[in-house]
Amino acid sequence: MGCTFSLIFALLGLIYGGFGGAFAGFLIGGLIDALFTRSRSKKATHYYQGQDFTEHELYLAAYVAKADSNRLLRSEMEYVRNFLIRNLGSERAQSALLRFRNILNSNLDIQPICSDLNKHATINEKMVILHFLFGFSSADGEMRQEELNAIWEISQRIGVNRTTFEAIRSMFTGYYYGRGYYEQQNYGK
């Protein structure tokens, strides 16, 4: 859409006002193009900076780990470590991993984090979080019901619908249950 209005207004200016009208139309169209480009780029802006987003992911992963009888397996810790190295680099990953260990030893209240994510995160950012949590919970080769319940609770709190939850879950389990599954499985109860 870059210069669409510039060309249209220049053409109209040429027809109705000659070369002077074409020049004026081109300038007016350029201003309109600039307004549309600016408003479109604001919509694509993400709220979260990398550090905040990673911090939220670590809190939510700790919540899932605590839901699983408060146990954290070596494979799950390795998953978090590899995730942090891929996203932050080796040096920053070490400090984030120490932060994760501290989070695991604290009392967790995920409501403020989920509320913040529900208000400010894009659907893509929410899907990244769920993908990370499913990967984390299945890192030990199995996804326990307690972990699944915790991820479903997080999903609801951050505003991700059932279909999206199921689609991401099916990437890790290979099953897509569709409508009615939650009533049958009694998630979150």
Side-chain angles (χ1 to χ4, degrees):
M1 185 155 189
C3 62
T4 305
F5 286 107
S6 298
L7 294 175
I8 292 171
F9 279 86
L11 184 60
L12 289 173
L14 181 64
I15 293 170
Y16 293 107
F19 288 110
F23 182 71
F26 183 78
L27 291 177
I28 292 170
L31 290 173
I32 294 172
D33 281 333
L35 289 174
F36 276 109
T37 304
R38 187 173 300 134
S39 68
R40 203 174 326 130
S41 67
K42 284 183 182 178
K43 289 178 188 172
T45 302
H46 295 283
Y47 173 76
Y48 287 99
Q49 301 298 321
Q51 190 79 16
D52 296 335
F53 192 71
T54 302
E55 184 85 5
H56 286 344
E57 286 177 309
L58 295 177
Y59 263 93
L60 297 175
Y63 182 77
V64 171
K66 286 189 171 200
D68 186 18
S69 304
N70 213 11
R71 66 182 190 150
L72 180 69
L73 300 177
R74 182 176 179 85
S75 58
E76 293 169 329
M77 194 62 153
E78 193 66 24
Y79 181 85
V80 171
R81 188 179 75 73
N82 290 335
F83 170 81
L84 292 171
I85 290 171
R86 264 192 326 271
N87 290 293
L88 303 176
S90 295
E91 288 181 25
R92 291 180 42 208
Q94 289 298 356
S95 64
L97 201 55
L98 290 174
R99 178 74 183 123
F100 181 61
R101 288 185 178 137
N102 291 336
I103 292 169
L104 282 168
N105 294 325
S106 67
N107 292 328
L108 296 175
D109 180 16
I110 63 164
Q111 183 53 42
I113 291 169
C114 290
S115 178
D116 188 46
L117 288 168
N118 190 18
K119 290 178 188 171
H120 300 294
T122 65
I123 187 62
N124 293 335
E125 290 167 329
K126 293 173 185 179
M127 289 170 57
V128 165
I129 289 171
L130 290 181
H131 192 273
F132 168 71
L133 293 175
F134 277 117
F136 172 74
S137 68
S138 63
D140 60 354
E142 66 175 309
M143 193 176 303
R144 297 172 49 96
Q145 188 63 42
E146 294 84 3
E147 294 171 317
L148 200 53
N149 290 343
I151 298 171
W152 172 238
E153 178 187 350
I154 291 166
S155 178
Q156 289 179 308
R157 288 184 179 201
I158 66 175
V160 174
N161 65 36
R162 182 185 327 204
T163 305
T164 304
F165 172 84
E166 278 294 336
I168 296 170
R169 188 183 65 71
S170 70
M171 292 180 204
F172 294 91
T173 62
Y175 298 107
Y176 180 78
Y177 293 101
R179 292 185 148 304
Y181 178 70
Y182 298 99
E183 290 80 15
Q184 296 168 8
Q185 292 297 319
N186 296 320
Y187 274 159
K189 293 183 181 178

